[in-house]
Amino acid sequence: MTLNANWSYPTAIRFGAGRISEIADACFVASIKKPLLVTDRGLAGMEITQKTLNLLDDAGLGRAIFSDVDPNPNEKNAAAGVAAYKAGNHDGVIAFGGGSGLDLGKVVAFLAGQSRPIWDFEDIDDWWTRANSDVIAPIVAIPTTAGTGSEVGRASVITNSITQQKKIIFHPKFLPTVVICDPELTVGMPKFITAGTGLDAFAHCVEAYCSPHYHPMSQGMALEGMRLVKEYLPRAYSDAKDLEARSHMMSAAAMGATAFQKGLGAIHALSHPIGAIYHTHHGTTNAVCMPAVLQFNKPAIKDTLAEAANYLGIPGGFVGFCKFVDELNDSLAIPKSLAGLGIENPDIDRIVSGALIDPSTGGNPIKMTEENTRKLIIEIS
Ligand SMILES: [Fe+2]
């Protein structure tokens, strides 16, 4: 089977190894003549980024880059990005990277033409309708990890640098016009990033699958996404150059993010405040939280996850699924607790209050309360 295709769901996706070479055409299709490539500081100097800038330059599109982006991007990064976008007179954004580069790139394209502050567009009720949608710049998104799936998402996670809370900024036009999924870009990822990002994709699939909301399309996608992670994450982890495994993980990432339109849950509700306060890796934090959250949700998800286990070829129903998660985490060197992540005395009160106001909380199959959430965090500590 050739792992190369063009998809139009949920947006136009050019999938396949080496397809970064189509970046100039992707810009043309998105009507971008003067792009600003937005990525994080770590990626800015890497070969894949320089090669991408060369491709743009060769096509007469310039080589403008903005990379003042923190691992958990905040409103200051967004303001600086918008200033660079305006100063360079750009007409579109290439969002390039893992979650931080993609999320910030999307926000820059969105905010550049708006007159209201970023927090006015938080994903609450219909706040997104406050935006002037006619002036949102087009976006080409290029993931360089396989986890966040932000390249197919209609939101960005931005940390409020004053309150240290992660906020979701939403608008339907955050969805990039063209996505290039080139698994070759993920070949150089360090092992722990391969593990953490891959388990973020897995958490998206598991939480979407377990969420009680009605969305059968997402349900099917989440299930197959889990299967791809089960089959291919161990391979991508043990052999960084396994391009078939990297390809399937890149699909799983896009599938997880598409599926979580159905909802997320306690894993992300906990991981968001933990990451915002302690700057831990998002996907790795999810993986640490997952075993305890599965037990927490057991009364509501026992039968559903038994069905998933069946599909995945895991014996033993719900118990078997949980055992599989423990073994997967162990094989990918995921710590078993927050202490293992380097958080010795977590501020439980702050994590509880952050979790209870996190939008992911609403998708958890068991109602999260002050009392049960506190117990859950103590267990994970
Ligand atoms: Fe996530």
Side-chain angles (χ1 to χ4, degrees):
M1 183 172 41
T2 311
L3 300 178
N4 191 299
N6 295 336
W7 299 326
S8 57
Y9 176 76
T11 185
I13 302 177
R14 300 175 183 213
F15 189 98
R19 296 195 69 175
I20 188 67
S21 63
E22 297 175 29
I23 189 168
D25 188 60
C27 286
F28 174 76
V29 169
S31 302
I32 303 175
K33 293 187 182 67
K34 207 173 178 205
L36 177 66
L37 186 143
V38 176
T39 193
D40 63 67
R41 293 187 196 98
L43 266 170
M46 285 175 65
E47 199 185 338
I48 50 170
T49 313
Q50 291 308 313
K51 275 189 173 167
T52 304
L53 290 173
N54 291 345
L55 287 166
L56 290 171
D57 216 359
D58 292 347
L61 297 170
R63 52 184 312 119
I65 178 169
F66 173 79
S67 62
D68 192 12
V69 180
D70 290 308
N72 289 310
N74 58 41
E75 79 284 1
K76 292 179 187 166
N77 300 145
V82 167
Y85 182 91
K86 287 181 176 169
N89 210 14
H90 294 288
D91 61 0
V93 166
I94 297 171
F96 186 91
S100 33
L102 293 173
D103 279 7
L104 198 83
K106 287 158 60 181
V107 156
V108 168
F110 170 74
L111 274 184
Q114 305 303 322
S115 51
R116 301 176 72 138
I118 185 170
W119 307 125
D120 280 7
F121 304 108
E122 202 184 326
D123 189 13
I124 297 172
D125 303 328
D126 63 350
W127 284 16
W128 65 271
T129 59
R130 295 167 165 177
N132 178 355
S133 59
D134 295 338
V135 292
I136 298 171
I139 302 161
V140 170
I142 305 172
T144 62
T145 65
T148 165
S150 176
E151 68 274 11
V152 293
R154 300 174 302 162
S156 284
V157 181
I158 301 294
T159 300
N160 183 319
S161 67
I162 295 163
T163 62
Q164 293 296 314
Q165 286 174 335
K166 287 195 177 191
K167 298 288 185 187
I168 295 174
I169 310 299
F170 171 86
H171 193 283
K173 278 190 145 182
F174 270 40
L175 189 66
T177 308
V178 184
V179 176
I180 297 178
C181 279
D182 181 346
E184 269 180 6
L185 300 177
T186 68
V187 162
M189 256 198 291
K191 259 182 156 32
F192 86 98
I193 301 284
T194 297
T197 50
L199 290 171
D200 187 26
F202 188 63
H204 295 158
C205 292
V206 171
E207 294 214 289
Y209 185 78
C210 294
S211 149
H213 303 308
Y214 178 69
H215 201 318
M217 281 185 274
S218 291
Q219 195 72 345
M221 201 176 297
L223 193 55
E224 177 64 2
M226 282 185 234
R227 189 188 71 79
L228 291 177
V229 174
K230 174 177 176 277
E231 296 297 319
Y232 296 103
L233 181 55
R235 272 176 54 178
Y237 182 77
S238 65
D239 176 5
K241 291 191 165 58
D242 184 337
L243 210 51
E244 188 191 1
R246 292 288 190 191
S247 300
H248 288 305
M249 281 308 300
M250 196 156 244
S251 290
M255 291 162 76
T258 308
F260 75 59
Q261 290 181 29
K262 182 171 180 282
L264 287 169
I267 295 172
H268 276 79
L270 297 181
S271 176
H272 284 152
I274 293 167
I277 300 168
Y278 300 104
H279 307 290
T280 51
H281 184 267
H282 172 66
T284 313
T285 313
N286 287 341
V288 170
C289 296
M290 185 179 286
V293 170
L294 293 179
Q295 295 305 324
F296 178 86
N297 285 332
K298 184 179 173 181
I301 63 172
K302 193 169 166 282
D303 295 340
T304 321
L305 271 187
E307 284 169 14
N310 240 348
Y311 178 76
L312 298 170
I314 297 169
F318 174 79
V319 174
F321 188 93
C322 294
K323 186 165 167 269
F324 159 73
V325 169
D326 289 339
E327 288 170 358
L328 182 65
N329 275 359
D330 285 348
S331 72
L332 301 175
I334 299 298
K336 290 193 187 305
S337 63
L338 294 184
L341 270 180
I343 305 168
E344 287 300 341
N345 290 303
D347 186 338
I348 309 270
D349 288 344
R350 237 176 122 190
I351 300 173
V352 170
S353 59
L356 292 179
I357 57 164
D358 192 273
S360 310
T361 301
N364 199 62
I366 298 267
K367 187 171 167 47
M368 294 172 72
T369 64
E370 163 104 33
E371 196 189 348
N372 66 17
T373 305
R374 178 176 298 275
K375 238 173 105 185
L376 180 59
I377 296 164
I378 290 170
E379 206 176 308
I380 295 165
S381 301

